[in-house]
Structures are given as C-alpha cells and as structure tokens.
Amino acid sequence: MSVRETLAGSPDVRRTNLAVLLRHLHLDGAMRRAELTDRSGLTRSTVAGLVGELGRLGAVEQTAASTTSTAGTPTRGRPSPVVRPCPLGVQVLAAEVRVDQVEVALVGLGGTVLHRDSRPLPDPSPEPTADLVARSVADLAHAAPGRVLGLGVAVPGVTRHRDGAVRFAPNLSWRDVSFGRMLSDRLPGTDVRVVNDGDAGVLAEHLRGVARGCDDVVFVEGEVGVGSGVVVDGKPLVGAGGYAGELGHIAVAGLGGRRCRCGSDGCWETEIGLDAVARALGLGPDASRRAVVDALRTAGDEEVRRLEPVARHLGAGLATVVNIFNPSLVVLGGLLRELYPCVAAEVRRTMVRGALAAPVEQVRLALPELGDDAVLLGAAEAVWQRVLLDPVAALGG
Amino acid sequence: MSVRETLAGSPDVRRTNLAVLLRHLHLDGAMRRAELTDRSGLTRSTVAGLVGELGRLGAVEQTAASTTSTAGTPTRGRPSPVVRPCPLGVQVLAAEVRVDQVEVALVGLGGTVLHRDSRPLPDPSPEPTADLVARSVADLAHAAPGRVLGLGVAVPGVTRHRDGAVRFAPNLSWRDVSFGRMLSDRLPGTDVRVVNDGDAGVLAEHLRGVARGCDDVVFVEGEVGVGSGVVVDGKPLVGAGGYAGELGHIAVAGLGGRRCRCGSDGCWETEIGLDAVARALGLGPDASRRAVVDALRTAGDEEVRRLEPVARHLGAGLATVVNIFNPSLVVLGGLLRELYPCVAAEVRRTMVRGALAAPVEQVRLALPELGDDAVLLGAAEAVWQRVLLDPVAALGG
C-alpha cells in the first residue's frame, strides 16, 4: 500500500490526488478511468470518487464506455468509462504582447484554444498596451462559455517573477513598467500573471510540443530581439528574481559587434534578429517581418550565401548554449523557424566547431511543434500551472 | 499529525526519516536532540529511536546533556542530550586532480578533514594519474579509523555523470578517458565517483561555504583553465549527460580572440586563465602559479593597469553569467581569489555595463569561504550525497 493510498481519506491528500489526476487529463487529454488508476497508483474506487469530484467542479466529464476498446477489439470485464477534460467548463485567458500587435486567446482545460484574436498595436507604450490587452481579453471573457480562472500575459522583456513587473523590454522601449498591476487595475478580480515570452515558449513546447519528455531544453525565438527560455531537469530556469534564461544578450561578436539596445555590443540578438537578417538579405533596415519571411521562404543560393554571417552567429551562440546547459534539445522558434532550414549546415558547422564535443553530440536542434502559438499557449500554462497546484482552491470546490 | 509521522513505523518512512536526521547532522554539526525534533517535525520518541539506530550504525554519538544550556543558563525540565556526527566512525576519501599535483583527503561525517596530503604529479597522463590517486587514497584508507564509504574524485574536465568517464580535459590532454573505471579497477570494492572540479566546488560552497542558503549560485575557478559549476534553485546544474555548467568556453573575445585548447577562439579561459594573467603581468608564458600569485599579492598601480584587459574579460564573462543564470551569488575561486581583489572596480564596471540591469542588481561577487579546499570537499560531498540518500543501505544497517 503506497503512502498516498494510506492517507487517501485525509483532506490534504485528497487535494493532492485531485491535482495529480487533473494534471494527467490537462496534459494528455481524454483517457479511460482505468488508465488514470494505473498512472496514479491509487485504487479504482478512490479514482472514481475523485473523478466525480472533478466533475462537480466542472473540470471533467465522464462518458459511458463502449464495449469495445479504443483499438476496436472487444474488452473483457466491465468497460472503464472515458474521462476527459472540459474545455467548455473552465478556461483561462492568454495574451502575447509583440512589438506591433497583441495576440489574445481563450484557452480551455486541456489546452484547447476556444477563441483567438490578433489586434494591431499602433502605440506600444505601456498604457495603450495595457488598455488594448485588457479590452481584448475582456471581450473574450464576456463570451466565455465557462468559468475563467485567470489571465497569463507574455511580454518580450525581462520580467520579475514576484509581481509581473517588466524591468526592461528594449524592443518596446519599456523600463520598469508595473505591467502586472496595470492589468490587475483594469481587470478587477482577475488573477493576472505576467511572464517573459521565452519562458512561456519553452513551457508550452515542454508540456505540449516538440520538447515533451525532454528534461533539458532551450527555446530560442528570433524576432526583433531574441527571446529565450530554459528548462533544467524538467523545471523552468527562473533564477533569483525570475530573470534567468536571457540568452539574447550573450556576446557572440566580441568588441567589434554592433551596439545593442541593451547598451552592450555584439549581443546575440543584434546579430541574428530581424534587422540582421533583413540586412544580410539586402532588404534595408525598415523591411517588415512579412517581407523577411517571404524572402527566406524563397531564398536561392545567392541569398543563402548572403545569410552565412548570420548563420555563423547563430551557430556561435548555440555553441555557448550547448556548453552551458548540455541540453538534449534546442527549439528554434519565431523567425528562426524560417531562417534555420535555409542555413542549417552552416549553423551546425559553427556550433560543432565552437562547442565541446561531449555536450554537442547530445543535442538535437528542432523547430517548435506549436508553431507561432507556443508563446501564447505558454502564457496560458502559466495560469494552468497555478490551477493544477490546487484545483480545489482554484475552482472553489 | 503530519504525513511523515503517521507512517513513522513503516520501513520506507523510517529510512527516509533516518536520512533527514543524518543530513541535518552532517551539514550543521552537533545539536541537541530537541532541535533535531523541531527541525524534523517528528515526535520526541521517534527521534530518540532513530538517533539510537544511527548510533548503532556508527554514524552519530549522543552525550548526556549538562543541566545548563549552551548559553550557560540553567535549562528547565529534563535537558536534551546532544547528538553529534561521528567523523571517526564513518569516512569518505576525496581526491582532486590538478595539472601538476594530486590532493587527497580523508573526510569524516560532518565534513571534518581527518587527513590531507598533496603529491606532485610529474606525468598527468591517465594511467600514471590513476596510479597516483589510487596509491594515495589507499594509504589514507589503510590508516582510516572507521568505515570508508567511497571515493570522490574531482577532475578538471568534462565528465560524464553516469560512469565518471572524462570526455575532455584539455589542460591534462585527456580525451575519452574511462577514469572512473580505471580507479575502480585499482580499488576493488570501493564506490568511486568522478566529478567535474567546478561542480565539486560549487557543491561544497553551497553546502558548507559562502553560498550556504543561496539557491542560485555560480562558482568560477580560474587556474590554467577555468573550472565552473552552477547551482540552480538549490540543485546542481547537470544537463542531459552531466556536462552542463562549462563556462570556461563561453566566447568573450569574439573572432579576434586567442585560440583555445578546445579548438575554438576567444574562450573565457584563454583570456582570464593563468597564462593570460602571467602575460598581462609580463611574467612570460612559463611563469609558475606560485610566481603569478606572488605578483598579484604585491601588485602596485602599474600591475593593476596592466591587468585591465584581463579584468575586462572577467567582467564581460560575468555579464553573460548574470544574464543567463540571474544568480544571487558568484563565487570567484582559484587564482581569481588573488586576481579579483586587485581589479574589482574594473571587473564590476565591465560586468554592470554588459549585463541587464535587473539581474545585475541582484548579484553579489564573493571569494570562497573554503579557500583552496572547496573542490576537494566537494568531491567528498559527491559521495556523502549518495550516503545521505539512504544511510541504511550505505552503512549496511
């Protein structure tokens, strides 16, 4: 008899067990109650009781099992009902602030995107941005079919873990913006969590994307700047204040590099960000993201040759990442999804040359499975993670 | 009644509780049994039984309490006996392989160094090194007053976690050396753990030194190369294969930097290691460590000025470390203990300029509290950590 089972009747253990079951359902979707029993190591009757409680909280539903298994063969004995998360029962709001637009979504339990909207951000200064985010998510919340448990917002900046203050977002020109409080003021009663965009991206890819099952993952997203997030031993890298994992400002070009918006020289983001790619392609400094993506998708030999310096800086930064984190997977998101396939050989050559042999032979480079949704889904997960810690408290059961 | 208490009678929980008590005693030394009771949250009678069992295993001893408290004032009620770890009862062996010498020690429970020896290493190739380490620790084991539970060896190289193979130790000219197996062959029946020197250093400073109580710590040791280790959220950074935390090969000098023994250019260790410091001081490429230390200790204005480029590269690397890990503490060991005080202002200036404001305002730079013993004590802790996971299994109780 397991420790967990022995105390299944005590209120604390019951809450913990509810959380365990809900986590399985949120991350892996519908499954037979028998499988939940196997995974949790609890007894059948305990699981039946807990699933009933999650049903009363509106989080899951059970459907009578058919007498054939999912593989179509007849099952033996009494068939086990199928339990599934209820995306229409409980939801969270998610937002992603980009340099020129705001993405918002209503995400149901299980990670289902129920609604999604993209709005242009003509003025990215803090007050108008907070207004636009608050207005957009309020519209979604108004139309939500179930209970809305909170709002997760991803921003392209250095964000304090404790209160969601954005300490520095060079590409929005923000410095010390109490963005979490600004949103809470506009959305009374809503639990707001503000997170770094790279941290959101790695969380989503780790829980639901290409990095599933990998314990040591680095996510690098190239846009105007370079966002990044790291999972170490299965957990997000946070640091003393929540600022860890900022890879955009590692030095890759030495003292001769370009001046970065952070004040230093030769940072990774000045050498592989949107401007650097546009410059390499000869598109001029004001090229839109759209134009750069189109040029990358249609790149021929001449363009690939012109991208070589960018590829080398991407590889050099990856070498540092590999030496420091010894990750099993590096996920290349944002603009790098388009750039990397063009110049993969040169990137890998530079990375292998610059990194130590032992860690570089363990690393795989991959594109995000969630595509452009990684950051938005990760912002939602920042709220779900809190809900899953104690579903009874979050759902008011 | 706590979960732990409810099941105090079950064998698994008993082993876990023994481990909890022994960890307190190993890391914090002698204390009253009443304090162990407070810290563990167990009942007085449970703690008394467990301490008795640890005593029978030879790990701790109890002394009848005096009727005055440690503060000298009379205590009320029946005084609580004092429990202390038994360094003479159980020990581990520790070794540190350096470029030209081997340090060995016999370390008792509680971290007490019982014997210590330093032997020159005229030929640092693998077989002679393994011979010297094995002979040296066998001498110590022979004279050990208690039971010897294993050997921890720190090496200046990239070391595989699983089996202690040294994949690459550029300053020993080792590549793919099965050092763990070579030592096991020479010391039959001894549990051997081979770890990276920086990983050992950060572990010791985190458990017993200046980084005690800090959850996010980076240890940087400048010698011929730069060793390093990282603690993230209270746990050692390991990575997919045990290679993580290698900071000596982050690029700080860009493409114009010196060729590093790793094959890349402008690595941190080529710019702040022994050779770089000797060169800056005008001591020539063959200067001994001793000569460099003496020159640093007596450095005047002229020497400090000559060290400025080294100081700037130290600061630039620290900026990257700060951006990536957001540590609350960076410990500067080895030669940096002598270098940093000479050039602290320039190092800090470069670090602050190169790092993001949010993480840099949270970081403190410090010298190791354990001095030159950090790596050796950390090698011992690599064995103690295994013992503390399950003292009953390790002590054969």
Side-chain angles (χ1 to χ4, degrees):
Chain A
M1 188 174 273
S2 71
V3 172
R4 195 181 280 156
E5 196 63 31
T6 312
L7 299 170
S10 92
D12 276 0
V13 175
R14 195 169 174 81
R15 288 168 90 114
T16 305
N17 288 341
L18 279 169
V20 168
L21 297 190
L22 196 59
R23 178 172 290 271
H24 284 301
L25 292 163
H26 175 63
L27 293 178
D28 295 333
M31 65 186 80
R32 288 190 184 281
R33 211 167 70 196
E35 188 177 345
L36 269 180
T37 304
D38 282 352
R39 290 193 184 198
S40 64
L42 301 170
T43 62
R44 268 170 35 175
S45 63
T46 301
V47 170
L50 294 169
V51 166
E53 185 161 346
L54 287 172
R56 283 188 295 279
L57 293 171
V60 308
E61 57 189 10
Q62 290 186 80
T63 49
S66 69
T67 49
T68 51
S69 76
T70 46
T73 50
T75 53
R76 304 204 299 180
R78 194 164 53 159
S80 171
V82 173
V83 186
R84 63 185 80 243
C86 259
L88 298 180
V90 288
Q91 291 108 43
V92 304
L93 297 160
E96 177 186 357
V97 176
R98 296 186 181 177
V99 172
D100 53 5
Q101 70 201 64
V102 166
E103 309 283 316
V104 291
L106 181 71
V107 182
L109 188 72
T112 310
V113 176
L114 299 174
H115 293 290
R116 172 149 188 181
D117 201 0
S118 179
R119 305 203 180 176
L121 179 64
D123 176 2
S125 53
E127 296 284 343
T129 305
D131 287 340
L132 180 62
V133 169
R135 209 163 49 234
S136 307
V137 301
D139 290 349
L140 288 183
H142 189 70
R147 293 163 61 200
V148 175
L149 300 180
L151 164 66
V153 183
V155 293
V158 177
T159 303
R160 187 159 58 207
H161 204 242
R162 174 164 52 81
D163 61 359
V166 178
R167 297 297 313 279
F168 183 46
N171 301 308
L172 297 171
S173 301
W174 291 10
R175 204 176 271 277
D176 291 314
V177 173
S178 305
F179 199 54
R181 211 190 55 212
M182 288 166 65
L183 290 170
S184 296
D185 288 349
R186 284 163 173 80
L187 298 161
T190 303
D191 176 53
V192 177
R193 296 183 73 84
V194 179
V195 296
N196 171 266
D197 57 357
D199 291 346
V202 78
L203 184 62
E205 289 291 340
H206 175 60
L207 295 176
R208 310 195 166 274
V210 66
R212 219 176 150 139
C214 293
D215 280 347
D216 295 279
V217 187
V218 177
F219 177 83
V220 183
E221 188 188 49
E223 291 293 344
V224 173
V226 167
S228 55
V230 183
V231 163
V232 163
D233 198 17
K235 296 196 197 67
L237 177 71
V238 175
Y243 311 132
E246 273 295 330
L247 304 175
H249 302 279
I250 57 179
V252 293
L255 301 174
R258 285 175 179 270
R259 174 54 53 101
C260 178
R261 269 167 272 219
C262 80
S264 191
D265 299 306
C267 292
W268 207 15
E269 74 173 43
T270 65
E271 308 296 333
I272 67 164
L274 182 67
D275 288 357
V277 176
R279 210 163 42 234
L281 289 167
L283 293 178
D286 294 326
S288 69
R289 186 187 196 279
R290 186 73 256 161
V292 171
V293 167
D294 287 345
L296 288 171
R297 286 187 180 159
T298 58
D301 290 350
E302 170 61 15
E303 284 75 20
V304 167
R305 197 191 52 71
R306 297 176 72 139
L307 288 167
E308 270 180 20
V310 178
R312 279 197 291 274
H313 282 126
L314 176 53
L318 290 174
T320 292
V321 164
V322 164
N323 284 348
I324 291 182
F325 291 110
N326 180 202
S328 52
L329 187 72
V330 177
V331 183
L332 301 168
L335 212 56
L336 300 179
R337 283 170 68 206
E338 316 293 340
L339 174 66
Y340 177 64
C342 294
V343 291
E346 186 65 29
V347 170
R348 292 197 59 85
R349 199 160 28 239
T350 317
M351 175 182 77
V352 169
R353 182 171 180 285
L356 296 164
V360 88
E361 73 195 22
Q362 294 194 305
V363 75
R364 193 161 56 88
L365 304 183
L367 303 183
E369 212 170 277
L370 305 171
D372 281 337
D373 280 353
V375 173
L376 196 56
L377 284 173
E381 288 301 334
V383 182
W384 286 124
Q385 296 306 300
R386 186 188 56 78
V387 171
L388 293 173
L389 278 181
D390 188 349
V392 176
L395 297 165
Chain B
M1 189 174 274
S2 72
V3 173
R4 195 182 278 156
E5 197 62 33
T6 312
L7 299 169
S10 92
D12 277 0
V13 174
R14 194 168 174 83
R15 288 167 92 116
T16 304
N17 288 341
L18 278 169
V20 168
L21 297 190
L22 196 59
R23 179 172 291 272
H24 284 301
L25 292 163
H26 176 63
L27 294 177
D28 295 333
M31 65 185 79
R32 288 192 183 281
R33 211 167 70 197
E35 187 174 347
L36 271 180
T37 304
D38 282 351
R39 290 192 185 199
S40 63
L42 302 168
T43 62
R44 266 168 38 171
S45 62
T46 301
V47 170
L50 294 169
V51 166
E53 186 163 346
L54 287 172
R56 284 188 294 280
L57 293 171
V60 309
E61 57 188 12
Q62 290 186 78
T63 48
S66 70
T67 49
T68 51
S69 76
T70 47
T73 50
T75 52
R76 304 207 297 182
R78 194 164 53 160
S80 172
V82 173
V83 187
R84 63 185 80 241
C86 258
L88 297 179
V90 288
Q91 291 107 43
V92 305
L93 297 160
E96 178 187 356
V97 176
R98 296 187 182 178
V99 171
D100 53 5
Q101 70 200 61
V102 166
E103 309 283 317
V104 291
L106 180 71
V107 182
L109 187 72
T112 310
V113 176
L114 298 173
H115 293 291
R116 168 145 193 185
D117 201 0
S118 178
R119 304 203 182 177
L121 177 65
D123 176 2
S125 52
E127 296 285 342
T129 305
D131 286 342
L132 180 62
V133 169
R135 210 164 49 234
S136 307
V137 301
D139 290 350
L140 288 183
H142 189 70
R147 294 163 62 199
V148 174
L149 301 180
L151 164 65
V153 183
V155 292
V158 177
T159 303
R160 186 159 58 208
H161 203 243
R162 175 164 52 83
D163 60 0
V166 179
R167 298 296 313 279
F168 184 47
N171 301 308
L172 297 171
S173 300
W174 291 10
R175 205 176 271 276
D176 290 316
V177 173
S178 305
F179 199 54
R181 211 190 56 212
M182 289 167 63
L183 290 170
S184 296
D185 288 349
R186 284 163 173 79
L187 298 161
T190 303
D191 177 54
V192 177
R193 296 184 71 85
V194 179
V195 296
N196 171 266
D197 56 357
D199 291 346
V202 78
L203 184 61
E205 290 290 340
H206 175 59
L207 294 175
R208 308 193 166 278
V210 67
R212 219 176 150 139
C214 294
D215 280 346
D216 295 278
V217 187
V218 177
F219 176 82
V220 183
E221 188 188 48
E223 290 293 345
V224 174
V226 167
S228 55
V230 182
V231 163
V232 163
D233 198 19
K235 296 194 198 68
L237 177 70
V238 174
Y243 311 132
E246 274 294 330
L247 304 175
H249 302 281
I250 57 178
V252 294
L255 301 173
R258 286 176 177 267
R259 174 54 54 101
C260 179
R261 269 166 273 218
C262 80
S264 191
D265 299 306
C267 292
W268 206 15
E269 76 174 41
T270 66
E271 308 296 335
I272 68 164
L274 181 67
D275 288 357
V277 177
R279 210 164 41 236
L281 289 167
L283 293 178
D286 294 326
S288 69
R289 186 187 196 281
R290 186 74 255 159
V292 170
V293 168
D294 288 345
L296 288 171
R297 286 187 180 159
T298 58
D301 289 351
E302 170 62 13
E303 285 76 19
V304 167
R305 197 190 53 72
R306 297 176 72 138
L307 288 167
E308 269 180 21
V310 178
R312 278 197 292 273
H313 282 126
L314 176 54
L318 290 174
T320 293
V321 165
V322 164
N323 285 349
I324 291 182
F325 291 111
N326 180 202
S328 53
L329 186 71
V330 176
V331 183
L332 301 168
L335 211 57
L336 301 179
R337 283 170 67 206
E338 315 294 339
L339 174 67
Y340 177 64
C342 294
V343 290
E346 186 66 28
V347 170
R348 292 197 58 86
R349 198 157 31 235
T350 318
M351 176 180 78
V352 169
R353 182 171 180 285
L356 297 165
V360 88
E361 73 195 23
Q362 294 194 306
V363 75
R364 192 161 58 88
L365 304 183
L367 303 183
E369 210 169 278
L370 305 171
D372 280 338
D373 280 353
V375 172
L376 196 56
L377 285 173
E381 288 301 334
V383 182
W384 286 123
Q385 297 306 301
R386 186 188 56 78
V387 172
L388 292 174
L389 277 181
D390 188 349
V392 176
L395 296 165

